[in-house]
Amino acid sequence: MNQPLSKNYFENPDVVALAKDLIGKELTTTIDGVLTSGIITETEAYAGQGDKACHAHLGRFTKRTQVMYESGGIAYVYLCYGIHHLFNIVTNTSGNADAILIRAIEPIQGLQKMLERRNKKKLEKSLTSGPGNVTKALGITKSHNAKSVLGQDIWIDNPGVKVESIVETTRIGIDYAEEDASLPWRFYKQDSKYISVK
């Protein structure tokens, strides 16, 4: 039986361990009265102020990043390249600015609505592989920025199924992060086809 994750879960100070632990959890949205969900299959950890790949590196505090400094358990949604909304979960306690990017899910509920949102006719891995595709399929937009991921619009459950094999590898598209680009802070479910890059 699914158990909703608690605020205490997201206040864990170890963002890397948390990013790995989220693999296999179920992410659900209810947008405009329609429920959609999927099993999280790929994540990336961003470790606040000490991580050159993180938006809050060196304590950067802007209108966009201020949400990252809140206590864990809320959404950080931003627009990438002016096209894709990317959904992150703020973690750790207030002032730390850690976050986890959800890069892929395996669709479970509301498949027809996901296909409609993505302008697709049939189920294929690209439906929910890649962070921009995840948000579009689930109906997440910038309007959800700073909203709770413990609420009625967005929440995450623990289905109680242990994921046996999780791959630890480098994050995507962060060449600017110098030595931090090589940190093995991307995680994915090895046997899932719903992965952005293997």
Side-chain angles (χ1 to χ4, degrees), residues 7 10 27-32 67-68 70-78 87-91 139-156:
K7 182 165 179 60
F10 292 108
L27 171 60
T28 304
T29 62
T30 301
I31 311 293
D32 299 326
V67 65
M68 298 183 72
E70 299 295 321
S71 181
I74 61 173
Y76 169 40
V77 184
Y78 65 90
F87 171 65
N88 302 258
I89 301 165
V90 175
T91 66
I140 296 172
T141 67
K142 206 169 177 185
S143 69
H144 297 100
N145 187 50
K147 286 196 173 181
S148 174
V149 297
L150 313 164
Q152 296 181 323
D153 296 336
I154 304 172
W155 70 94
I156 302 171

Side-chain angles (χ1 to χ4, degrees), residues 7-53:
K7 182 165 179 60
N8 185 58
Y9 176 90
F10 292 108
E11 290 179 331
N12 186 328
D14 190 340
V15 68
V16 178
L18 209 54
K20 185 175 182 179
D21 193 66
L22 278 171
I23 303 297
K25 305 298 189 284
E26 186 172 351
L27 171 60
T28 304
T29 62
T30 301
I31 311 293
D32 299 326
V34 181
L35 187 145
T36 54
S37 76
I39 298 297
I40 298 171
T41 54
E42 184 181 1
T43 62
E44 283 180 348
Y46 289 88
Q49 303 174 43
D51 177 4
K52 290 182 179 178

